[in-house]
Amino acid sequence: MTERTMAEAFGDALVSQTTRAVGALPVIYPIMESLGLREIVNWLIRTRADVDLGRIAEWLTLNRLLAPRPLCWVKRWAGGTILPGFLGTPVSKLYDNRLGRALDALHPLLGEIWAGVAARAITTYEVDLSIVHWDITSFFFEGEYTDSELLRRGYSRDKRPDAKQANLGMDVSDKDAIPFLYWLLPGNRQDNQTPVPHVKALKAFLARPELADLRLRPVIVSDCKMVTPEAVFACHDHHLFYLGSLEHNDDVCAVMRSVSEQELAAHELHYQPKRQQGRKEPFTPYQGVFRPITFTLDERTVTDQALVVWSAGKARLDQQKGKTYLKRLLDDLAFKQSWMKKKRYTNRDYIVRCVDGALRGNPARQWVDVEITASPEGRLGLQFQINRERLAAARTLAGKYILVTNARHLSADDMLRIYKGQDKVEKAYRTTKGPLRVRPVFLHTDERIEGLVLFTMLALLVRSILALQCHRAGLPFTADRVLAEFAPLDAIDSTFCDGSRRRVISDL
């Protein structure tokens, strides 16, 4: 009789084996613990339930991080992971109605929960808030949502004007790319209505007791739609710095035209895009010249610093776009002129509407003079020609734009470098809409939608801190790379005939 092998003995003693997902839990849960999410939630909201709201908050954040699901599928996902045992929560407690009630209970304190966690992130990980990037995006919803005060139709950055949406604003630190402030707005809120409330919200956040020792006076970086006279004066009144571009109007164009090509050529900037660094082909440097610029509001005036910037890449793009728009307009007008010659048109209002349709939304309309003519017999015609003077004036602005600031300690190179970092907040938005799946949304009340956005933002904060830790450790890994490497990690639970159990973690 041959001796039994270890494998045979193990097989005879084995009753069952279950594989459960571990994933990136070993790297993300320590970050969540350092942020004190459960502690903060339970301190703000007392509950006698067997599963406290702080633990539910951890569950919903982990779900957003590891495998975003609708509330009705969280229970199914949890059952295939080690989390129920690790967090001490039976899977049966994670049914969708309970999670929904938790969102309702958390709703009155969502802002305080986020502020507490974000402030702890700043102090724990020594986040640099000397420069912050601010922007707004939108995310759309499928469904009618007839009773929603939050979901409205408006300007869709997702190219879905047919769907209702909500607007999401966010502040992200420049050096560490950490999101620390956000707010949710109705989908029809105009961008120019948000700068002043944002300045007040940022000032209130920086005044929190946890941040008192930092004595922060950050530079707020934003795009042209956010730099309004009201926002400029709000920054001055609240002793905050701002930096952003300006939309082109007559006054802005006059400032840009005041800087000659010769003056720009004499003031090259040292900024070089990352995509150009290390390449062998020659790089045409940016050029920039300072000019004073004055803002007026309710009989108040303030003069700040404007940097007129010229970029060779933008000049090429402006010229190419200008030619495209001009050709499109001339072709459209020529087509309308051709069918006017074939038929007899006497309704002037109809012709005006047709011409307006061609001009509307085309930036080249300012370079073309259009006239509706009438013959002695009453037949209408259409004449148009390029206004060479206005076209030449527009071409002198090709490649130019203006950056403005009240932070006079910034050099021209500093202003351009900081402004080019605006893509940090754009990358954060891509993450919320991509891996964290803030859309599609399967919730039917504004309160629960706002709760979902909070946990999406908490997940984004944890991901951002993970990426920051990799960077500070000198590891060339993104958060996506780390999460992907840990995704196959499983725990194998074995039960034996004597009732004993053993857990083995699979190899990475």
Side-chain angles (χ1 to χ4, degrees):
M1 182 175 179
T2 59
E3 293 185 2
R4 298 173 66 199
T5 64
M6 290 293 294
E8 290 171 335
F10 182 86
D12 291 341
L14 183 65
V15 174
S16 64
Q17 265 190 340
T18 304
T19 301
R20 303 184 187 280
V22 177
L25 186 66
V27 292
I28 62 175
Y29 192 74
I31 297 175
M32 288 182 56
E33 282 192 310
S34 71
L35 298 179
L37 172 59
R38 185 185 184 191
E39 171 192 340
I40 290 172
V41 171
N42 288 337
W43 182 78
L44 290 170
I45 309 175
R46 305 288 182 178
T47 179
R48 294 182 179 180
D50 49 354
V51 181
D52 57 77
L53 288 173
R55 186 64 86 192
I56 295 293
E58 287 187 333
W59 270 104
L60 292 174
T61 304
L62 287 168
N63 178 250
R64 288 286 113 188
L65 278 163
L66 299 175
R69 298 285 192 278
L71 293 187
C72 60
W73 292 351
V74 170
K75 180 179 178 180
R76 183 189 305 175
W77 161 76
T81 71
I82 67 166
L83 286 170
F86 180 76
L87 298 179
T89 309
V91 175
S92 60
K93 303 293 185 179
L94 298 176
Y95 54 93
D96 55 348
N97 284 339
R98 178 161 195 153
L99 298 178
R101 290 197 303 269
L103 291 177
D104 294 335
L106 292 170
H107 180 262
L109 293 170
L110 293 180
E112 189 60 30
I113 293 170
W114 169 261
V117 173
R120 184 170 294 190
I122 291 169
T123 55
T124 301
Y125 294 95
E126 299 179 349
V127 178
D128 183 358
L129 293 186
S130 58
I131 301 168
V132 300
H133 296 274
W134 168 51
D135 203 355
I136 293 178
T137 191
S138 59
F139 57 98
F140 67 91
F141 291 72
E142 302 285 358
E144 293 297 327
Y145 290 96
T146 54
D147 298 328
S148 175
E149 297 294 329
L150 179 64
L151 306 186
R152 292 285 187 266
R153 286 189 173 86
Y155 171 67
S156 175
R157 297 161 181 84
D158 298 314
K159 310 301 181 186
R160 285 294 305 273
D162 60 308
K164 291 185 177 181
Q165 64 178 21
N167 286 328
L168 176 65
M170 190 188 307
D171 284 89
V172 176
S173 66
D174 177 79
K175 183 178 179 181
D176 303 317
I178 299 295
F180 66 93
L181 187 64
Y182 84 94
W183 64 103
L184 200 58
L185 299 169
N188 59 354
R189 185 70 58 88
Q190 299 294 320
D191 286 355
N192 58 12
Q193 297 175 343
T194 61
V196 174
H198 166 256
V199 171
K200 294 179 179 178
L202 178 59
K203 188 69 175 180
F205 176 78
L206 297 178
R208 290 183 63 87
E210 308 97 301
L211 306 178
D213 294 338
L214 301 181
R215 295 174 183 168
L216 297 168
R217 191 184 179 186
V219 179
I220 307 170
V221 187
S222 58
D223 64 18
C224 59
K225 293 181 180 179
M226 310 302 179
V227 184
T228 64
E230 293 81 4
V232 168
F233 279 94
C235 287
H236 279 276
D237 293 341
H238 290 281
H239 305 289
L240 295 172
F241 296 120
Y242 75 90
L243 168 64
S245 58
L246 285 180
E247 285 190 298
H248 288 194
N249 56 34
D250 291 342
D251 294 335
V252 171
C253 290
V255 174
M256 290 192 291
R257 290 193 180 97
S258 70
V259 181
S260 65
E261 293 183 10
Q262 294 76 15
E263 190 175 4
L264 281 168
H267 293 82
E268 291 186 355
L269 303 179
H270 297 98
Y271 172 79
Q272 187 172 350
K274 289 184 179 180
R275 64 179 181 275
Q276 292 289 341
Q277 296 174 7
R279 294 190 177 185
K280 296 181 179 180
E281 60 265 23
F283 168 68
T284 304
Y286 286 76
Q287 301 166 356
V289 174
F290 280 120
R291 285 287 189 272
I293 191 163
T294 300
F295 295 93
T296 303
L297 180 67
D298 298 334
E299 299 182 354
R300 297 173 62 192
T301 60
V302 64
T303 300
D304 287 334
Q305 187 167 254
L307 178 68
V308 179
V309 181
W310 178 85
S311 160
K314 187 176 186 303
R316 289 191 296 270
L317 182 62
D318 288 346
Q319 291 170 3
Q320 185 179 36
K321 289 171 64 177
K323 291 178 181 178
T324 300
Y325 284 126
L326 183 58
K327 183 179 185 303
R328 185 181 301 167
L329 178 58
L330 294 177
D331 289 346
D332 199 0
L333 291 173
F335 174 74
K336 288 176 170 53
Q337 185 185 59
S338 66
W339 54 250
M340 287 183 64
K341 292 179 179 179
K342 297 178 182 178
K343 298 182 180 180
R344 183 181 183 88
Y345 286 92
T346 57
N347 188 332
R348 186 178 184 88
D349 290 340
Y350 174 73
I351 302 300
V352 169
R353 289 197 300 271
C354 292
V355 173
D356 286 345
L359 298 176
R360 189 182 306 116
N362 192 318
R365 63 184 181 276
Q366 57 186 323
W367 308 329
V368 179
D369 294 327
V370 182
E371 180 184 5
I372 299 175
T373 61
S375 66
E377 297 82 14
R379 182 165 185 160
L380 297 177
L382 179 66
Q383 299 294 329
F384 60 91
Q385 62 180 359
I386 297 175
N387 188 310
R388 300 292 177 181
E389 182 179 352
R390 287 202 296 268
L391 180 59
R395 285 177 173 171
T396 62
L397 301 178
K400 292 182 182 178
Y401 57 95
I402 281 188
L403 301 180
V404 292
T405 187
N406 62 340
R408 295 186 177 275
H409 61 279
L410 297 179
S411 67
D413 283 294
D414 290 336
M415 289 178 63
L416 183 59
R417 174 184 55 79
I418 292 171
Y419 182 74
K420 290 294 186 178
Q422 187 69 359
D423 65 335
K424 291 182 174 65
V425 68
E426 295 168 0
K427 291 176 180 177
Y429 284 136
R430 286 198 292 271
T431 300
T432 60
K433 295 180 181 182
L436 300 182
R437 291 180 60 185
V438 73
R439 61 181 190 196
V441 175
F442 302 95
L443 299 170
H444 300 289
T445 67
D446 288 353
E447 292 79 9
R448 295 186 180 186
I449 290 170
E450 291 175 23
L452 173 74
V453 172
L454 168 69
F455 293 112
T456 303
M457 291 301 302
L458 289 170
L460 176 64
L461 177 60
V462 173
R463 283 175 57 101
S464 301
I465 292 173
L466 176 59
L468 175 62
Q469 289 180 315
C470 290
H471 174 72
R472 289 178 176 177
L475 301 174
F477 301 144
T478 63
D480 285 329
R481 171 77 183 278
V482 174
L483 295 176
E485 292 289 347
F486 275 86
L489 187 62
D490 291 325
I492 304 171
D493 293 330
S494 302
T495 303
F496 299 94
C497 57
D498 62 352
S500 61
R501 298 183 179 185
R502 184 169 183 261
R503 170 169 286 176
V504 177
I505 303 298
S506 64
D507 293 331
L508 284 174

